[in-house]
Amino acid sequence: MGIVLCLVVLGSSLAYDTKPPPAVGDVFPEVKFSVPGESDYRTYLGLAKGDYFSIQDIKTKVVVVEILSMYCPHCQREAPRVNEVYELIEKDPALKGKVKLIGIAAGNSTYEKKVFRKRYTVPFPLFEDPDFELHDILGGVRTPYFIGVKIDGGVPRVFYSKLGGFEKADEFLKMLVGLSGL
Amino acid sequence: MLMLLHGTAYGLSDVFKENIYVPEDLAPTDSVLAVTVGEKAPDFTLPSVHHGEISLSQYLGKKNVVISFVPAAWTPVCSDQWPGYNIVKDLFDENDTVLLGITADNIPTLFAWTNQMGKLWFPVLSDFWPHGETASKYGVLRSDGTTERAIFIIDKKGTIRYIDVHDINKRPPLESIVGELEKLNK
């Protein structure tokens, strides 16, 4: 799943400039992800076959974006807890379909992304970002970094943007749900 | 010149916090290779952080060897290279291969740095003294005393089968290393 970036306002000539991380209240930057080839991931995201999609095209109310890397020790240690967040969402009828997770593998090739997915049995879609293009647009942040996005009237609004992981999956999820206003 | 790393464009792990320095405008390579594919790999004996002294020759007839030279501890690309290798021990094992990480830093520095990565399964060797002697044998010692970001793959007969003196500013893709390891067994 490659990533094609589309800077609607700034133009493609600035695609490699590092921006500040999205702040709470900001509109999530316009980027286009490749539609996953795997039908399971398309189903999860509520996407039809196609080329690209934007974050607001995901059929959900809230998207939690994790910026990670297979080369990042924190991301490696965090992976089981992030998977647990996914499982908690999928088991909760009040959250299933309303909160979805995606990962951006900063600086990772397709192969490296697949290694991380296999090693940690990651159940949610990961998108490789081999040349750090999306990573730069999202602030050149250290990893792991989490961005919570609420899709309201087709507008993806950031409600959480923070470096680092968390200790307990249930508390992290509860905090995100609370901040999102779901 | 070194500067303090602010918002990094390297996807650096938060495990290193604010303790990483990033060099500016490094030449992609800054040395002249002293070996070629098909030659016998120069032997060396170096101290390691946790495994005592390690010699290349101890693997002759037993294991293939991947040598991963990285330029310096506490720098961005280097800090996000070996942690990735740390989760793919199976890929090395499947190809009957050991991995040796080498820098020209001293043992205490390597100890502190690699501790941030977690417990590494492969030996980390110090080519600090005589400074860069092993890197010089292979032709990957840069003019500032650091090493190139280089991969050497050596088969069980001690023959160099693959060399990648990579752009120091970029990490070699994992698939290129694994692909070469798979060729060893064909």
Side-chain angles (χ1 to χ4, degrees), chain A residues 18 69-77 106-112 115-116 118-120 132 135-136 139-144 163-165, chain B residues 6-18 79-88 91 115-118 171-175 178:
Chain A
T18 299
S69 168
M70 75 153 277
Y71 291 91
C72 157
H74 260 191
C75 306
Q76 296 166 3
R77 294 170 202 158
N108 293 175
S109 65
T110 303
Y111 180 90
E112 291 165 335
V115 165
F116 187 87
K118 182 179 178 184
R119 175 67 180 81
Y120 297 103
F132 295 102
H135 175 255
D136 284 352
V141 294
R142 298 202 300 268
T143 55
L163 174 67
Chain B
H6 298 296
T8 171
Y10 297 95
L12 187 67
S13 173
D14 188 45
V15 76
F16 300 102
K17 301 298 180 186
E18 301 289 344
S79 299
D80 272 356
Q81 184 169 339
W82 290 347
Y85 302 159
N86 204 34
I87 63 169
V88 293
L91 297 179
N115 270 353
Q116 300 304 306
M117 302 176 187
R171 184 176 50 223
L174 179 62
E175 56 267 41
V178 175

Side-chain angles (χ1 to χ4, degrees), chain A residues 32-106:
Chain A
K32 289 195 177 300
F33 300 86
S34 292
V35 172
E38 301 90 337
S39 61
D40 288 354
Y41 293 146
R42 286 199 305 274
T43 300
Y44 174 71
L45 297 172
L47 300 171
K49 280 186 178 178
D51 295 328
Y52 305 109
F53 71 95
S54 301
I55 198 164
Q56 60 267 33
D57 296 329
I58 299 174
K59 191 177 178 183
T60 188
K61 292 184 177 179
V62 168
V63 183
V64 179
V65 181
E66 181 189 11
I67 302 171
L68 55 89
S69 168
M70 75 153 277
Y71 291 91
C72 157
H74 260 191
C75 306
Q76 296 166 3
R77 294 170 202 158
E78 195 84 348
R81 288 196 287 274
V82 181
N83 289 351
E84 191 181 347
V85 170
Y86 171 89
E87 299 297 339
L88 288 169
I89 293 167
E90 294 304 296
K91 289 176 183 173
D92 187 340
L95 298 179
K96 183 177 171 64
K98 295 178 183 173
V99 182
K100 296 188 178 177
L101 291 174
I102 64 172
I104 296 168

Side-chain angles (χ1 to χ4, degrees), chain A residues 121-163:
Chain A
T121 323
V122 178
F124 53 87
L126 300 179
F127 299 86
E128 68 268 28
D129 182 24
D131 298 319
F132 295 102
E133 294 177 357
L134 183 54
H135 175 255
D136 284 352
I137 288 178
L138 295 175
V141 294
R142 298 202 300 268
T143 55
Y145 194 99
F146 290 89
I147 303 172
V149 181
K150 186 176 184 183
I151 300 170
D152 195 359
V155 178
R157 189 77 62 183
V158 174
F159 68 85
Y160 180 86
S161 179
K162 196 170 180 181
L163 174 67

Side-chain angles (χ1 to χ4, degrees), chain B residues 104-157:
Chain B
D105 298 289
N106 65 13
I107 288 287
T109 297
L110 289 173
F111 175 83
W113 181 51
T114 57
N115 270 353
Q116 300 304 306
M117 302 176 187
K119 186 175 174 59
L120 299 180
W121 60 267
F122 53 89
V124 171
L125 282 55
S126 167
D127 192 18
F128 179 70
W129 201 258
H131 191 82
E133 183 178 62
T134 296
S136 293
K137 287 181 184 176
Y138 284 76
V140 291
L141 185 66
R142 294 171 68 99
S143 59
D144 63 358
T146 62
T147 76
E148 300 287 5
R149 187 177 316 287
I151 299 289
F152 294 86
I153 298 181
I154 299 155
D155 67 19
K156 293 176 186 176
K157 294 178 180 176

